[in-house]
Amino acid sequence: MDSTVARINATCTGTRMPRANMNTVLDFDFSFPSLSEQQRIVSILDETFAAIDKAKENAEKNLQNSRELFDSYLQSVDAEKESLGSLVDITTGKLDANAATENGQYPFFTCSREIFAIDNFAFDCEAILLAGNNAVGDFNVKHYEGKFNAYQRTYVITVNQENRVLYRYLYFQMLKSLKEFKMKSVGAGTKFLKLGMIKDLKIALPSLSEQRSIVTKLDVLFAETKRLEEIYQQKLAALDELKKSVLQKAFNGELTGA
């Protein structure tokens, strides 16, 4: 099958948008086995693809269960709430998003989920980094400690009352609030978060000892979810390759089985 596709591609015409001529396709010879052999191949393919789909479904279910457990525990935190603005200082970076440099020495936080690099730093502290804009309001938040730099639309949030809130606990509370931020964001072409929206955010604030206990549990669940996400993506890639391999063998007459 791949060799046939390659031959068709070789005959394609057009400069901007290569296209196959109908007559060219009709002129190719395709070999067809007997009906009984076709039925045997189809039976094997149906069985194999059903097993592949089931494996995908199981991997996705395990990942979904882990995410739901994490979200459930995160939502279950119950304590008196306080405005974020009374607990933190909030500033932004000063750089353009394209200020990143390849192989830079320091992390460069933009509104992307990806962390870039840069050759200079403007901050040397522990902080929560909140993306301040996104095309569809799909904001993200990160927790970092050390030297770094930031894009001008990235909010750099530092705790000013460390006897009341832990950075890691605050990170999880901000993670929990991303859906709320999406609903409250403004803008047409691009969604933005205003400073007042962030300051007005209400977070549950238990004692520091309770926060440490919550963080320990959430870190375990978070790590497990990340592990399952990686396994899920690897399985998807492997199963897709398996499906291609089985199809290739089928069309090459190499498929064996009942």
Side-chain angles (χ1 to χ4, degrees):
M1 183 61 135
D2 283 350
S3 60
T4 301
V5 172
R7 289 163 61 202
I8 293 174
N9 285 339
T11 63
C12 287
T13 60
T15 53
R16 285 184 155 184
M17 183 68 70
R19 56 189 180 276
N21 182 283
M22 178 63 73
N23 291 330
T24 301
V25 177
L26 293 176
D27 286 341
F28 276 102
D29 293 326
F30 293 89
S31 61
F32 290 92
S34 66
L35 282 178
S36 61
E37 178 62 9
Q38 290 180 41
Q39 289 170 345
R40 185 186 74 85
I41 292 172
V42 168
S43 177
I44 295 174
L45 289 177
D46 282 343
E47 184 178 345
T48 302
F49 288 175
I52 289 174
D53 290 340
K54 186 63 177 178
K56 283 185 176 180
E57 182 184 335
N58 289 339
E60 186 172 6
K61 182 178 290 186
N62 288 337
L63 175 58
Q64 185 61 31
N65 288 342
S66 179
R67 285 174 173 166
E68 288 177 357
L69 182 60
F70 175 80
D71 289 340
S72 175
Y73 189 78
L74 188 59
Q75 297 293 337
S76 70
V77 177
D78 186 24
E80 187 174 342
K81 293 187 176 182
E82 189 157 339
S83 297
L84 183 63
S86 65
L87 303 167
V88 302
D89 295 319
I90 306 175
T91 186
T92 62
K94 305 299 180 186
L95 302 177
D96 291 333
N98 60 5
T101 55
E102 191 173 355
N103 301 319
Q105 184 177 354
Y106 307 103
F108 178 46
F109 295 98
T110 66
C111 291
S112 169
R113 294 185 180 277
E114 182 181 355
I115 301 175
F116 299 99
I118 199 165
D119 289 327
N120 53 75
F121 69 91
F123 302 90
D124 184 5
C125 61
E126 187 170 8
I128 305 299
L129 293 308
L130 174 65
N133 67 8
N134 181 269
V136 294
D138 184 19
F139 304 108
N140 67 86
V141 63
K142 303 178 182 73
H143 175 205
Y144 184 77
E145 183 175 7
K147 296 181 174 68
F148 65 92
N149 220 321
Y151 165 53
Q152 58 191 354
R153 291 288 185 179
T154 298
Y155 287 103
V156 180
I157 303 171
T158 53
V159 173
N160 59 29
Q161 295 194 47
E162 294 189 20
N163 62 330
R164 300 191 63 203
V165 61
L166 301 174
Y167 270 97
R168 192 63 178 169
Y169 176 80
L170 178 58
Y171 164 73
F172 285 121
Q173 285 295 308
M174 297 294 287
L175 196 63
K176 170 186 174 183
S177 303
L178 292 179
K179 290 181 181 179
E180 181 179 343
F181 283 142
K182 183 173 184 176
M183 289 188 296
K184 291 183 176 181
S185 60
V186 296
T190 299
K191 296 295 184 180
F192 294 90
L193 291 177
K194 293 183 177 181
L195 181 60
M197 297 174 182
I198 304 170
K199 286 185 173 181
D200 291 342
L201 177 70
K202 300 287 187 180
I203 66 169
L205 198 65
S207 66
L208 285 182
S209 60
E210 289 180 90
Q211 290 180 39
R212 291 188 186 95
S213 177
I214 291 167
V215 164
T216 298
K217 179 68 173 178
L218 285 172
D219 272 333
V220 170
L221 293 173
F222 191 66
E224 178 63 11
T225 301
K226 288 295 182 185
R227 186 184 71 84
L228 289 174
E229 283 178 349
E230 291 176 4
I231 292 175
Y232 176 63
Q233 294 303 326
Q234 291 169 1
K235 279 193 174 182
L236 285 185
L239 292 170
D240 284 341
E241 286 302 314
L242 176 60
K243 184 175 282 191
K244 292 177 184 177
S245 174
V246 171
L247 279 172
Q248 183 65 39
K249 287 182 178 180
F251 287 109
N252 287 345
E254 302 170 356
L255 203 59
T256 61

